[in-house]
């Protein structure tokens, strides 16, 4: 047997697999998870990050002001920070390039020559076309080369007049992901405890700069100031400065300031569109939006004025409906309840379970259950039995008393304020239920208006916040496009300027994904309610449109009649003159009334002018009578022609009015 060659031996040794290293169990903090998956929270790219930061700050500010029934006054400022200013902020000295070829935007001499020649040819063609009088498209100025690494930075500041935050809670409220005050079962704009924390995480990832928070609560003589960032790996706040400062102006609210990478150019329209839609759904709030740049012509200042002081009621926290709970939630409620026995637990921890129903449910659960048994002693099997019964038993639907819709008045006022439509109709539906959660759908449909495109312009709101992205799959969009026969309501879907506004409020909005961008079209209860609300608005508009068409036809008839008055006058007068001649020669006898008219024609008491005047009066009379009938039918549904200002009564005036009314009675 031949021995193996040294080469073969070496090869065989190299093929021997290495022993795999033992896998080490690791875990991530919530902050680390969201930093790596920031798109989940709507932080997809620099432009979207800027938009989402503004959105989260504005919504938190509104919630804060509304929670103390304060009319919101919110100031949003986006300040552009050029690279040199940003470098000085972080203490980095600007450095000139040494090796140009190292950079992504490097352009060789040959490439530059080619680009300049192309630009020169384009300008020459443009000049020839202009000389020949042809329509010239503005030639885009080509950049020297693509610049991938040049970032844009912005300081985003949001100031409100809301509740403010307790001094000691500020670090955890901003520096600990998945911590917040909105985890109860109630209608809220935010749910996940992410908003401002994600802005801070993005700031840490893109600029490394901390967030600044100033806050003061009502009656406090100091302002809490906190500068902090977040320890991503431990999900805890890293505090740079936390102190109390004088509050000389007795201000209350919060001011948050963060520096992030963003893209104003591509997301400018989205941010302004968001602010405009927010002004529609919250006309009781005042927004001041500013974009500040070193280039003055890029500056933007828009004030969305308050138009009413009527605020929706503050949403109240409610209890869980039995049909909406799962086993895990039942266990948590048992662990947190202060009630001792099962009967009290069922009565006080769930809606729509009174004492008689609770006793019937316990009797249905089986012999091992009793009203007096300790709720903490329930086994896993017994909890599963309770859950099974909750799923199968019949319960009354939860009421919508805990919800706070915008209200028809506010929705209508917001639409009129921002769009100035020719006509508008609104509708607010009654509370309905999806998986044990109550929801209310409000809708508005407008026709015409300022800065409104032809066709359908869809505005979507969920818990009174605008939804701007992923519109195609949303229940409102699909309903408006595919389930409403607009022609049946005398509305032209392609030519008319139609605004469709739908606001859905609920204790649990069934968003698709944590980005809270759209509501799926697969929930039949919501789809049906949305369709019904839009149709109710269309029915209102149809009657207005029909009456408007009738009025237009009436005006057209009046114009036509008026146009032919001179010809009719001449013809009638000529006939009367001929008849008067024959009457004077007594060739033909006329009745007394007709003869009297003919005598007046002969005596020139009836002339062309008097006939013209009489015909004109008749046309005006017919027009007036039809207009009066139209106004009577329309009644108070028409918009007022001018602003009405009502002066508020002081106590003395109110007493005198009451006395006068009493005397009148």
């Amino acid at each position: 047997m031949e021995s193996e060659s040294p080469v073969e031996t070496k090869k065989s040794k190299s093929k021997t697999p290495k022993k795999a290293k033992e896998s080490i169990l690791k875990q991530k903090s919530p902050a680390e998870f969201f930093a790596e998956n920031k798109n989940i929270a709507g932080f997809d790219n620099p432009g979207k990050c800027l938009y989402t930061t503004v959105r989260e700050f504005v919504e938190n500010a509104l919630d804060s002001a509304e929670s103390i029934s304060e009319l919101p006054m919110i100031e949003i400022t986006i300040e552009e920070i050029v690279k040199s200013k940003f470098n000085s902020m972080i203490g980095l000295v600007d450095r000139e390039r040494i090796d140009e070829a190292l950079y992504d935007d490097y352009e060789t001499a040959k490439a530059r020559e080619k680009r300049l020649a192309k630009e020169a040819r384009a300008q020459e063609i443009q000049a020839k076309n202009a000389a020949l009088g042809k329509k010239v498209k503005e030639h885009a100025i080509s950049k020297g080369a693509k610049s991938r690494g040049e970032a844009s930075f912005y300081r985003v500041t949001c100031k409100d007049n809301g509740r403010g935050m307790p001094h000691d809670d500020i670090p955890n409220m901003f520096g600990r992901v998945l911590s917040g005050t909105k985890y109860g079962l109630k209608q809220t704009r935010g749910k996940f405890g992410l908003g401002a924390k994600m802005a801070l995480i993005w700031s840490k990832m893109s600029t490394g700069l901390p967030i600044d928070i100033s806050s003061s609560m009502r009656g406090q003589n100091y302002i809490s100031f906190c500068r902090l960032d977040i320890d991503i790996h431990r999900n805890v706040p890293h505090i740079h400065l936390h102190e109390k400062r004088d509050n000389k102006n007795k201000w209350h609210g919060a001011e948050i300031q963060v520096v992030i990478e963003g893209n104003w150019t591509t997301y400018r329209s989205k941010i302004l569109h968001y602010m405009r839609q927010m002004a529609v759904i919250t006309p009781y709030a005042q927004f001041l939006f500013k974009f500040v740049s070193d280039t003055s012509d890029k500056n933007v200042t828009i004030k969305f004025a308050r138009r009413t002081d009527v605020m929706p009621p503050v949403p109240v926290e409610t209890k869980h409906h039995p049909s909406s709970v799962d086993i895990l939630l039942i266990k948590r409620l048992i662990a947190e309840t202060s009630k001792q026995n099962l009967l009290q637990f069922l009565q006080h921890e769930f809606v729509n379970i009174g004492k008689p129903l609770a006793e019937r449910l316990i009797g249905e659960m089986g012999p091992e259950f009793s009203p007096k048994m300790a709720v903490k002693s329930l086994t896993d099997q017994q909890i599963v039995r309770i859950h099974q019964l909750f799923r199968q038993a019949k319960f009354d639907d939860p009421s919508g008393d805990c919800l706070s819709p915008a209200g028809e008045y506010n929705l209508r006022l917001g639409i009129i304020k921002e769009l100035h439509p020719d006509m508008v109709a609104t509708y607010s539906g009654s509370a309905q239920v999806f998986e044990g959660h109550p929801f209310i759908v409000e809708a508005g449909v407008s026709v015409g208006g300022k800065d409104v495109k032809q066709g359908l312009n869809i505005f979507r709101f969920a818990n009174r916040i605008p939804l701007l992205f992923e519109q195609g799959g949303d229940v409102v969009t699909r309903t408006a496009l595919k389930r409403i026969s607009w022609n049946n309501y005398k509305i032209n879907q392609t030519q008319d300027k139609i605004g469709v506004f739908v606001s859905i409020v609920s204790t649990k909005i069934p968003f698709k994904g944590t980005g809270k961008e759209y509501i799926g079209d697969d929930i039949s209860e919501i789809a049906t309610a949305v369709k019904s609300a839009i149709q109710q608005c269309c029915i209102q508009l149809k009657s207005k449109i029909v009456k408007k068409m009738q009025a237009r036809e009436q005006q057209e008839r009046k114009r036509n009649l008026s146009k032919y008055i001179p010809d009719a006058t001449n013809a009638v007068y000529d006939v009367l003159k001929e008849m008067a001649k024959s009457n004077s020669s007594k060739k033909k006898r006329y009745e007394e009334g007709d003869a009297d008219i003919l005598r007046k024609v002969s005596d020139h008491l009836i002339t062309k002018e008097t006939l013209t005047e009489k015909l004109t009066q008749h046309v005006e009379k017919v027009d007036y009578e039809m207009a009066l009938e139209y106004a009577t039918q329309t009644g108070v549904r028409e918009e007022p022609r001018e602003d009405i200002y009502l002066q508020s009564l002081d106590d003395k005036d109110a007493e005198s009015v009451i006395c006068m009314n009493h005397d009148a009675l």
Side-chain angles (χ1 to χ4, degrees):
M1 189 174 179
E2 293 182 9
S3 60
E4 291 181 354
S5 66
V7 177
E8 287 175 347
T9 307
K10 196 172 182 181
K11 281 183 180 178
S12 63
K13 282 182 182 177
S14 65
K15 287 179 182 177
T16 306
K18 291 182 180 179
K19 189 177 180 181
K21 287 184 179 180
E22 290 184 14
S23 58
I24 300 169
L25 183 66
K26 295 182 180 180
Q27 65 182 51
K28 290 181 180 178
S29 73
E32 194 173 3
F33 171 80
F34 282 107
E36 292 176 2
N37 301 278
K38 61 184 185 298
N39 59 301
I40 291 175
F43 284 72
D44 301 36
N45 53 63
K48 186 81 178 292
C49 289
L50 181 64
Y51 162 80
T52 308
T53 298
V54 170
R55 168 182 165 170
E56 295 290 354
F57 283 1
V58 168
E59 289 164 17
N60 286 345
L62 283 170
D63 278 339
S64 179
E66 289 174 11
S67 67
I68 56 172
S69 299
E70 185 85 21
L71 290 169
M73 292 181 63
I74 298 168
E75 296 179 19
I76 287 282
T77 305
I78 301 175
E79 182 186 350
E80 187 177 30
I81 299 173
V82 295
K83 183 183 174 184
S84 58
K85 186 176 179 180
F86 173 74
N87 285 349
S88 67
M89 285 171 63
I90 62 174
L92 185 65
V93 179
D94 285 339
R95 181 178 173 84
E96 291 185 6
R97 295 180 181 184
I98 299 172
D99 187 354
E100 287 285 349
L102 186 65
Y103 293 89
D104 182 58
D105 57 355
Y106 174 69
E107 188 178 32
T108 62
K110 189 175 181 181
R112 184 172 181 276
E113 187 180 339
K114 190 176 179 181
R115 175 175 61 82
L116 292 174
K118 187 179 178 182
E119 287 179 6
R121 281 197 302 273
Q123 286 177 358
E124 189 178 338
I125 292 168
Q126 198 173 4
K128 283 182 180 178
N129 289 338
L132 294 170
K134 293 182 181 179
K135 195 173 181 180
V136 179
K137 286 186 179 179
E138 197 170 328
H139 184 66
I141 300 168
S142 60
K143 294 179 180 177
K146 64 175 183 177
S147 180
R148 176 166 43 88
E150 195 69 30
S152 300
F153 302 102
Y154 302 89
R155 180 187 284 114
V156 182
T157 307
C158 180
K159 185 177 182 180
D160 65 63
N161 61 335
R163 180 189 294 276
M165 293 163 279
H167 181 80
D168 296 331
D169 290 348
I170 292 174
N172 282 330
M173 291 179 81
F174 285 87
R176 194 185 296 272
V177 172
L178 300 184
S179 66
T181 59
K182 300 179 181 179
Y183 289 135
L185 187 66
K186 67 175 180 178
Q187 172 193 324
T188 58
R189 289 187 171 91
K191 267 289 191 203
F192 303 109
L194 278 177
K197 289 101 165 175
M198 276 307 303
L200 176 54
I201 288 173
W202 174 242
S203 171
K204 190 174 178 69
M205 294 172 71
S206 60
T207 68
L209 292 171
I211 191 170
D212 288 353
I213 306 111
S214 298
S215 173
S216 182
M217 303 183 75
R218 272 181 174 171
Q220 281 185 354
N221 57 3
Y222 63 88
I223 294 174
S224 302
F225 178 80
C226 188
R227 178 174 292 141
L228 60 88
D229 62 34
I230 189 169
D231 187 325
I232 299 288
H233 302 293
R234 293 168 55 214
N235 190 32
V236 294
H238 175 222
I239 302 170
H240 296 251
L241 181 63
H242 194 190
E243 63 183 13
K244 295 180 180 179
R245 299 175 175 177
D246 287 338
N247 187 9
K248 295 177 182 177
N249 298 324
K250 303 298 181 185
W251 166 73
H252 65 85
E255 183 175 6
I256 305 165
Q257 190 175 94
V258 65
V259 179
I260 58 172
E261 182 185 345
N263 189 332
W264 167 255
T265 307
T266 56
Y267 273 77
R268 177 184 187 275
S269 61
K270 284 289 184 187
I271 292 171
L272 295 179
H273 198 43
Y274 169 81
M275 294 302 301
R276 189 186 188 194
Q277 289 201 29
M278 190 57 86
V280 168
I281 202 68
T282 53
Y284 53 87
Q286 177 176 299
F287 299 98
L288 180 62
F289 178 85
K290 291 181 182 178
F291 177 79
V292 182
S293 172
D294 287 345
T295 311
S296 59
D297 58 349
K298 288 170 65 177
N299 290 350
V300 176
T301 301
I302 303 175
K303 183 178 180 181
F304 300 93
R306 178 183 296 121
R307 282 293 300 269
T308 177
D309 58 1
V310 178
M311 292 177 65
V314 178
V316 296
E317 192 165 347
T318 186
K319 297 171 185 175
H320 293 274
H321 192 268
S323 64
S324 70
V325 297
D326 53 38
I327 295 171
L328 195 62
L329 181 55
I330 295 172
K331 286 183 177 181
R332 181 167 69 81
L333 292 174
I334 289 171
E336 294 175 356
T337 187
S338 60
K339 303 304 172 185
Q340 300 300 316
N341 60 49
L342 182 57
L343 181 67
Q344 292 174 334
F345 171 73
L346 294 178
Q347 279 183 256
H348 293 92
E349 296 297 335
F350 300 95
V351 293
N352 295 356
I353 298 184
K355 187 176 180 181
L357 180 56
E359 289 172 342
R360 288 175 63 193
L361 289 168
I362 294 169
E364 188 67 23
M365 289 173 191
E368 69 271 24
F369 292 88
S370 69
K372 297 294 182 184
M373 71 183 296
V375 70
K376 304 282 186 186
S377 67
L378 289 169
T379 64
D380 288 348
Q381 291 79 9
Q382 288 173 322
I383 291 172
V384 171
R385 175 63 186 136
I386 293 172
H387 178 245
Q388 289 175 346
L389 184 58
F390 277 177
R391 291 184 65 129
Q392 296 167 1
K394 183 181 179 182
F395 299 96
D396 291 337
D397 288 337
S399 70
D401 296 343
C402 60
L403 300 177
S404 175
E408 278 194 72
Y409 174 79
N410 278 333
L411 182 59
R412 184 184 184 85
L413 191 64
I415 295 169
I416 292 170
K417 178 171 80 83
E418 293 301 321
L419 270 70
H420 304 283
D422 299 329
M423 58 181 73
V424 62
T426 54
Y427 174 79
S428 182
S430 57
Q432 300 186 51
V433 181
F434 164 67
E435 291 185 350
H437 294 278
F439 70 91
I440 293 175
V441 175
E442 297 177 295
V445 178
S446 65
V447 178
K450 186 178 70 174
D451 301 329
V452 183
K453 296 177 183 176
Q454 281 187 329
L456 292 177
N457 297 267
I458 297 170
F459 301 82
R460 304 170 292 135
F461 305 92
N463 280 352
R464 306 211 308 266
I465 62 173
L467 306 178
L468 267 64
F469 292 90
E470 300 185 49
Q471 182 168 310
D474 189 89
V475 62
V476 177
T477 305
R478 295 182 71 84
T479 299
L481 289 174
K482 299 183 180 297
R483 302 188 187 112
I484 304 294
S485 300
W486 295 97
N487 287 334
N488 292 346
Y489 304 103
K490 309 294 183 185
I491 298 172
N492 190 313
Q493 186 176 344
T494 55
Q495 292 183 1
D496 289 337
K497 297 178 178 180
I498 310 163
V500 180
F501 304 79
V502 176
S503 172
I504 303 172
V505 295
S506 177
T507 51
K508 185 182 179 183
I509 297 285
F511 288 115
K512 295 292 185 183
T514 56
K516 303 184 295 183
E517 300 294 358
Y518 76 105
I519 300 166
D521 192 37
D522 53 346
I523 302 165
S524 59
E525 294 92 335
I526 293 179
T528 303
V530 168
K531 181 182 177 182
S532 174
I534 295 174
Q535 283 178 329
Q536 290 297 324
C537 294
C538 291
I539 290 168
Q540 295 176 45
L541 283 179
K542 183 179 179 180
S543 63
K544 292 184 179 182
I545 292 169
V546 167
K547 286 170 184 172
K548 201 170 184 180
M549 289 168 66
Q550 289 173 347
R552 201 161 42 236
E553 289 170 4
Q554 173 197 336
Q555 288 296 323
E556 187 65 27
R557 282 197 302 272
K558 180 184 173 182
R559 273 198 300 272
N560 289 336
L561 287 171
S562 299
K563 184 169 67 175
Y564 293 113
I565 283 175
D567 294 337
T569 300
N570 290 332
V572 170
Y573 189 71
D574 289 344
V575 170
L576 288 174
K577 278 178 68 177
E578 289 299 322
M579 291 172 68
K581 286 179 182 177
S582 63
N583 187 46
S584 62
S585 60
K586 296 185 181 180
K587 290 180 181 178
K588 192 174 182 181
R589 292 279 182 182
Y590 293 96
E591 293 181 7
E592 188 175 344
D594 294 338
D596 185 51
I597 291 173
L598 295 175
R599 278 196 302 273
K600 288 182 178 178
V601 171
S602 300
D603 297 339
H604 300 291
L605 296 174
I606 295 178
T607 61
K608 285 185 180 181
E609 288 74 18
T610 55
L611 281 176
T612 302
E613 185 181 344
K614 289 292 182 184
L615 284 172
T616 305
Q617 285 175 0
H618 181 71
V619 169
E620 291 290 344
K621 183 183 176 184
V622 171
D623 179 59
Y624 174 76
E625 287 173 353
M626 293 179 72
L628 190 63
E629 183 184 356
Y630 170 74
T632 305
Q633 289 174 355
T634 306
V636 295
R637 287 175 293 176
E638 281 294 309
E639 291 298 318
R641 302 288 178 179
E642 58 186 31
D643 293 335
I644 299 172
Y645 300 95
L646 298 178
Q647 189 173 358
S648 60
L649 298 173
D650 56 23
D651 294 340
K652 290 182 180 179
D653 292 336
E655 286 176 11
S656 62
V657 170
I658 291 168
C659 292
M660 287 168 64
N661 290 338
H662 184 269
D663 292 341
L665 291 170

